[in-house]
Amino acid sequence: MTQEPVVLTQAADGVQTITLNRPDKLNALNFALTEGLVAALKAADADEAVRAVIVTGAGRGFCAGADTREFVVLTPDNQELVDRRAALTTELQGLVKHMSKPVIAAVNGYAMGGGSGLAISCDLALASESARFGYPEVKHGIVAAIVMAGLVEHVGRKAAFELVATGRTVDATEALKLGLVNRVVPDDELLAEAEELALALAAHPQNAMQATKKIFHQVAELPFSEGLKLGQQLNAQMRAFRQKEQVA
Ligand code: COA
């Protein structure tokens, strides 16, 4: 019997949809799925036909975080494997920021631990009404370590600490209030909304869209005066953009 791929990809009109496909495990991130996702995101970034990306989950979950069944082999006496896993997770959690194209998370259910980290690492995140977010690592006797930087970046410190210290789950409405997502939509409209948004982003002149994403993430990590300087440089360069693409 041939096994279903753990990552599905589908392209239409410049939009690449990447679907985590371990629905029976709520798309928990085992080695194979994490590697598959990293590869699919990199391939989308390298593909000139792709102008925007959607990441979503098959079934009733977006992503239940690290596959807890792999914890039995991730022990100090397997340090090489532990290091490889940490590097792979780090690569996934930091990848979207370094991609040139905008990536939208369509969060269709549970987004826990690394799943929540993946969702908020995307440039935009839409949540279905049944989406749930949480960082339960502490309950497993581990730490929400690699996802911490993204969480602290997106959420106020008091709320972020509460999430990682209690491990509590928040619903989509609270996630919106906390700034984890851009908006909440009815479950059956999630993918259509994500596609509409992706198509709108894909329709923009590509060099302007890509430079917007790049400077956004650069400025977010800079002190104000340095961000302003970077803006000045880009402002001077961007005048050439309109000549390269046909712009209204
Ligand atoms: N790793 C591996 N398998 C997982 C998983 C994970 N992180 N999360 C869910 N699954 C599996 C369950 O074991 C179950 O598989 P089974 O049917 O073979 O037993 C299946 O996915 C469905 O999960 P289930 O717990 O029955 O669904 P639920 O709706 O009752 O609960 C959650 C959903 C997300 C609350 C619950 O699955 C959960 O707490 N998962 C762990 C989340 C987590 O701690 N993630 C961070 C790890 S550091």
Side-chain angles (χ1 to χ4, degrees), residues 22-30 60-61 63-71 109-115 132 134-140 142-144 169:
R22 294 184 76 208
D24 54 327
K25 300 294 175 211
L26 302 181
N27 303 313
L29 291 163
N30 61 2
R60 68 185 177 89
C63 172
D67 189 319
T68 51
R69 278 159 223 238
E70 286 185 344
F71 288 3
Y110 279 103
M112 308 297 279
R132 299 286 179 271
Y135 292 82
E137 284 85 344
V138 73
K139 295 183 184 171
H140 298 289
I142 58 170
V143 181
T169 302

Side-chain angles (χ1 to χ4, degrees), residues 92-93 101 108 134 156 159 178 183 216 226-227 231 233-234:
L92 176 64
Q93 295 292 332
K101 295 143 192 195
N108 53 301
L178 291 174
R183 65 181 100 119
F216 174 84
E226 285 176 43
Q233 285 164 18
L234 180 58

Side-chain angles (χ1 to χ4, degrees), residues 68-90:
T68 51
R69 278 159 223 238
E70 286 185 344
F71 288 3
V72 283
V73 291
L74 294 171
T75 54
D77 48 336
N78 263 332
Q79 197 58 43
E80 203 210 321
L81 190 68
V82 168
D83 291 344
R84 206 146 49 80
R85 191 76 183 89
L88 184 61
T89 301
T90 304

Side-chain angles (χ1 to χ4, degrees), residues 30-234:
N30 61 2
F31 261 105
L33 177 52
T34 314
E35 281 172 343
L37 259 179
V38 167
L41 287 166
K42 285 183 175 171
D45 207 32
D47 184 344
E48 280 189 12
V50 174
R51 295 167 74 103
V53 177
I54 296 171
V55 176
T56 194
R60 68 185 177 89
F62 174 72
C63 172
D67 189 319
T68 51
R69 278 159 223 238
E70 286 185 344
F71 288 3
V72 283
V73 291
L74 294 171
T75 54
D77 48 336
N78 263 332
Q79 197 58 43
E80 203 210 321
L81 190 68
V82 168
D83 291 344
R84 206 146 49 80
R85 191 76 183 89
L88 184 61
T89 301
T90 304
E91 185 176 18
L92 176 64
Q93 295 292 332
L95 190 52
V96 169
K97 206 179 262 208
H98 298 290
M99 287 171 62
S100 59
K101 295 143 192 195
V103 181
I104 302 167
V107 185
N108 53 301
Y110 279 103
M112 308 297 279
S116 182
L118 173 66
I120 67 171
S121 80
C122 293
D123 302 302
L124 292 153
L126 307 187
S128 67
E129 282 167 350
S130 63
R132 299 286 179 271
F133 297 79
Y135 292 82
E137 284 85 344
V138 73
K139 295 183 184 171
H140 298 289
I142 58 170
V143 181
I146 297 169
V147 289
M148 192 72 80
L151 181 65
V152 173
E153 189 176 54
H154 284 84
V155 175
R157 289 193 189 188
K158 284 285 174 285
F161 189 78
E162 185 182 335
L163 287 178
V164 291
T166 64
R168 90 180 168 87
T169 302
V170 300
D171 66 15
T173 308
E174 188 174 357
L176 178 63
K177 267 195 224 147
L178 291 174
L180 287 167
V181 298
N182 294 86
R183 65 181 100 119
V184 179
V185 299
D187 289 11
D188 58 358
E189 292 171 23
L190 178 68
L191 268 188
E193 284 263 352
E195 278 160 17
E196 196 183 317
L197 184 55
L199 285 171
L201 302 182
H204 291 315
Q206 212 173 357
N207 49 11
M209 181 73 248
Q210 294 190 2
T212 297
K213 170 166 174 170
K214 187 173 176 194
I215 194 172
F216 174 84
H217 288 294
Q218 286 173 322
V219 166
E221 292 188 11
L222 288 174
F224 175 79
S225 55
E226 285 176 43
L228 197 59
K229 255 188 237 152
L230 203 62
Q232 183 184 356
Q233 285 164 18
L234 180 58

